[in-house]
Every structure is written in structure tokens, then in C-alpha cells.
Amino acid sequence: MRYSQNDAYIIERGGRSRQSRRRRGGAGRAAGILISVLLILTAAICLLVVFLPRLNSNSSAANASVTAGKTYYFLCTAETEERLSAITSSQYAIERGGAGYVYNDGKYKIIAAVYAKESDVKTLVSVNANSFYFSLNLPGGEYASGDRTVIDYLVGEWFDTLSTAATELDRANITEAAAEYAVKAACDKLRDLALKANSEKLKNAIGSCAYSPSQSQTVLSYIRYVHVQYVLSAISALI
């Protein structure tokens, strides 16, 4: 079969037309893919905007925990509004083996010891003339993990260690050296934990306390003093 020049032109022209359509088809598909990718990215960004704050909130909540409050009971031997009288009463309590801690809440209260059970302090009030007690609450609530670790140790092992050391020493069941060793170790651990506390107030409150026995105070009296001091400092930092 013969083709004229026009026929050849038509065939050549037809070939270009198909190539052009292929190019346009390929470009269209590429544009479609690009648009799809952009839509997916847009949707992903929208989801992040909606859910990322919730994820951050959940993460913060996971790092915090709720702890119950704890009430402490303070046995007192005297109360006065005169500073000199408070110092005299404090020394008298120390000589009897009490903490002799001077607590000021508008009046000077001379604290002999701190207890975790109201029944214990009531028993002591009943057999000690002119004594009385008051209570303070270490507040519960949601605490960051570092603070919770300090609080858990304070109200648990630390408190029990000092309470047991004072009781057993008073009953002459352990030596002064053994009692001091146990108490100092517990106080050192509490201070180490406080260094990792989230709350600066709690960190500073515990950090301001130290086991440093006074030459004018018996071991028993000083252990009770430290017992009261740390508890009151923690409560002050958390209220």
C-alpha cells in the first residue's frame, strides 16, 4: 500500500498526538498523587492538633499520683505567750526526755513528741498532768512522682524508724549508739530523696533539717526533737 505525503503527515501527526496524551496522562496521575499526599498530610496535622494536647495531658497525669492525707498528733507539756517562759518549759521537757520543740501558732506550745495514732497520744495525756495535744494534717492530693516518693518515705519507713528508736531507747531495749545509727541513716535517706523532689518548698523544708545532735540534749530527747522537726517542716511546705 502506498501512502501520500498527506497520509504520512497524518500518521506522524497521529503519533505525536498519542505521545502528548500519554504525557498529559502521566502528569495528571502525578498531580493526583501529590494532591492525595497533601490531603493525607493535612488530615494528619489536624489529628495531631486535636489529640496531641490530650496525649500531653495524659502523660502529665501519669507522672502525678494522688496520695491520702495524714494526721499527726503532737503531745505538749506547756503553752505560753512569753518567750522566756517557753524556753524554760522547753528545757524542762528536754530534761525529761521530751523533744522540747517550741512551736508557735500564736502561742508557744512545747512539744514533747509526735504520734501517728490519736489513741497513743490520748493515753499519754491521761497519765501526764497538765499535758495536752493538738493535731496537724499533712495534706493529701495529687503530687508529682518526686514529691510522692518523699512523702511516702516520710509517713512510712522514716516515721516508723524514728518512733521505734525513741520507744525502744526509752525502754532501754537498745543502746544510744544503735538508736542514733538507725535514725541518722533514715534522715540521710530522706534528705537524699528530697533532693529529687519536684517541689522546691518541700526540697528546702527537708533540706533545712539535719541530724546534728546537741551536746546539751540527750540522745532520746534529740531523736524526738528531729522527729517533730521534720514532720512539722514537711507539713508547712505542703499546706
Side-chain angles (χ1 to χ4, degrees):
M1 181 182 293
R2 293 182 181 179
Y3 297 97
S4 67
Q5 185 177 359
N6 288 338
D7 289 334
Y9 177 76
I10 291 171
I11 294 172
E12 182 180 351
R13 186 178 179 183
R16 288 181 179 178
S17 178
R18 284 192 296 273
Q19 291 173 359
S20 177
R21 283 197 297 272
R22 291 192 191 99
R23 292 192 187 99
R24 285 198 299 270
R29 284 193 296 275
I33 292 171
L34 179 60
I35 291 172
S36 298
V37 170
L38 290 175
L39 288 174
I40 291 171
L41 288 175
T42 301
I45 292 170
C46 290
L47 289 173
L48 285 174
V49 169
V50 172
F51 291 106
L52 188 58
R54 297 182 185 178
L55 291 174
N56 289 336
S57 176
N58 290 337
S59 177
S60 298
N63 290 329
S65 54
V66 177
T67 183
K70 180 70 176 178
T71 302
Y72 289 102
Y73 304 91
F74 299 86
L75 174 66
C76 298
T77 57
E79 182 179 71
T80 179
E81 294 181 346
E82 302 297 328
R83 178 67 182 173
L84 183 58
S85 177
I87 293 173
T88 301
S89 296
S90 171
Q91 186 58 41
Y92 180 64
I94 289 171
E95 290 171 357
R96 297 173 63 191
Y101 189 99
V102 180
Y103 177 73
N104 186 356
D105 63 354
K107 291 184 179 180
Y108 296 115
K109 289 179 171 61
I110 312 306
I111 301 175
V114 58
Y115 298 91
K117 295 180 181 179
E118 188 174 17
S119 58
D120 291 341
V121 75
K122 280 185 173 180
T123 298
L124 291 167
V125 167
S126 69
V127 297
N128 287 275
N130 301 319
S131 66
F132 64 95
Y133 74 95
F134 70 96
S135 64
L136 290 174
N137 185 60
L138 191 153
E142 187 174 277
Y143 292 102
S145 59
D147 296 342
R148 176 63 186 269
T149 300
V150 176
I151 295 169
D152 284 349
Y153 185 68
L154 174 77
V155 304
E157 184 178 338
W158 178 86
F159 189 91
D160 293 342
T161 297
L162 271 70
S163 181
T164 300
T167 300
E168 293 304 299
L169 184 58
D170 193 27
R171 294 173 179 173
N173 291 332
I174 58 173
T175 64
E176 289 184 337
E180 276 201 296
Y181 182 82
V183 169
K184 187 179 185 307
C187 289
D188 287 347
K189 181 176 179 179
L190 181 61
R191 285 165 60 84
D192 288 344
L193 292 175
L195 292 175
K196 301 175 184 178
N198 302 86
S199 166
E200 289 298 321
K201 288 183 66 177
L202 182 60
K203 186 183 300 183
N204 293 333
I206 300 299
S208 66
C209 302
Y211 189 83
S212 180
S214 169
Q215 296 298 321
S216 62
Q217 205 164 357
T218 65
V219 173
L220 175 60
S221 174
Y222 187 70
I223 288 174
R224 284 175 170 159
Y225 182 91
V226 169
H227 206 192
V228 171
Q229 181 189 31
Y230 273 72
V231 171
L232 286 175
S233 295
I235 290 173
S236 178
L238 295 172
I239 58 176

